[in-house]
Amino acid sequence: QTPGTLQTRVSVGAAPLPAGRTAVGGTAVTSVVGARYPQPSKRVPLDRPGQVVSGLGTATNADGLAVTATGALATGLEVEQVSRGTDGRFRGLGNLRCEPPKRDAWLIGASTAVIDQSVLVLANVDDTPATVDVTVFGRGGPFDPRPGAGLTVAPHNRLLVPLDTLAPDAYHVVVHVTSRQGRVVSAVATGRGANGVPLGFDYLPQVLPPAQEVVVPGIPSDFGKRYLIVGNPSDEDTTVSLKVTLKDGQFVP
């Protein structure tokens, strides 16, 4: 949960099985409430394909929620959290698809301008400390990597890193989290406010690592501008071509 959060709801779902397959043995799903101070696991009543269980969560801002599963349905498990913020730039409603612990993660789109506040959340659900490096890229290239080098996340704990301490006054940055030791779960909570009035917040989901071809589906068509943010973490220039796919075909802008 982020600072100022009134309530976080976590939902766990099991994907439907492919045609012709049946679940043998079901799935045992447990939630560890209070990742900072581990408590006995709670059993989640999830035992059939296509089922969703909601309403999990924690009562304090200091905790996280670790979800584990075993059995036939475990490979199709999905976990999502919805948080409602109560004050400041983090007032509003944000949701995030929960990711497994990783040694490498990419996030795109955070801003650290005066009206924005973006916080990198690093969570360690393992029994040993994790040491990570956080690198931030902007329009002018990489920022000074020293402030984000060698960050330690204690076992069953979280570390909140304000991104303006790594990349001040920057728009639409690319964040790369790599682990020297251990694994972490990475996410960015970003909020915006103007003249003391909260304008809403949301979480930035992790994106795919650098690739030669990327598909971005489901762009909303309602009011407001849409930005495509392209990051190049290499030391060489990159030429990018873009195609837009509509219901009646493709075109090149």
Side-chain angles (χ1 to χ4, degrees):
Q1 298 184 357
T2 58
T5 296
L6 173 65
Q7 183 178 8
T8 294
R9 184 188 67 196
V10 178
S11 300
V12 182
L17 295 177
R21 287 188 54 186
T22 58
V24 179
T27 292
V29 180
T30 59
S31 66
V32 181
V33 180
R36 181 182 293 250
Y37 306 107
Q39 302 172 6
S41 299
K42 297 171 57 178
R43 183 68 180 266
V44 178
L46 188 71
D47 53 15
R48 63 181 185 273
Q51 183 183 6
V52 176
V53 177
S54 62
L56 307 176
T58 63
T60 69
N61 291 336
D63 285 338
L65 181 66
V67 179
T68 60
T70 60
L73 304 180
T75 55
L77 195 74
E78 288 287 345
V79 184
E80 183 179 72
Q81 73 170 38
V82 178
S83 298
R84 184 182 297 277
T86 59
D87 55 18
R89 285 185 171 90
F90 293 103
R91 181 185 180 192
L93 192 66
N95 73 289
L96 178 68
R97 177 181 182 268
C98 300
E99 297 279 352
K102 298 178 181 177
R103 297 180 62 89
D104 187 277
W106 293 83
L107 303 107
I108 295 179
S111 296
T112 61
V114 176
I115 62 173
D116 297 313
Q117 183 176 355
S118 297
V119 177
L120 174 64
V121 182
L122 302 173
N124 178 8
V125 299
D126 293 329
D127 297 328
T128 57
T131 302
V132 301
D133 295 327
V134 180
T135 306
V136 183
F137 303 87
R139 291 186 177 182
F143 288 86
D144 185 351
R146 290 174 294 181
L151 302 179
T152 299
V153 187
H156 301 287
N157 214 320
R158 300 179 312 153
L159 179 65
L160 304 182
V161 183
L163 284 181
D164 58 359
T165 63
L166 307 182
D169 197 20
Y171 287 96
H172 309 315
V173 298
V174 177
V175 179
H176 186 202
V177 180
T178 57
S179 176
R180 303 184 191 178
Q181 172 183 313
R183 308 175 303 165
V184 295
V185 181
S186 307
V188 169
T190 181
R192 172 164 290 188
N195 298 322
V197 179
L199 300 179
F201 94 100
D202 206 346
Y203 293 99
L204 298 182
Q206 294 184 20
V207 297
L208 295 174
Q212 292 184 323
E213 183 175 1
V214 177
V215 178
V216 183
I219 300 174
S221 58
D222 54 357
F223 297 104
K225 295 181 179 180
R226 304 290 179 263
Y227 296 95
L228 176 66
I229 304 170
V230 181
N232 174 18
S234 72
D235 295 328
E236 300 178 353
D237 292 342
T238 298
T239 301
V240 177
S241 59
L242 173 67
K243 290 183 179 179
V244 178
T245 303
L246 303 176
K247 60 182 180 181
D248 54 355
Q250 288 185 329
F251 73 95
V252 177

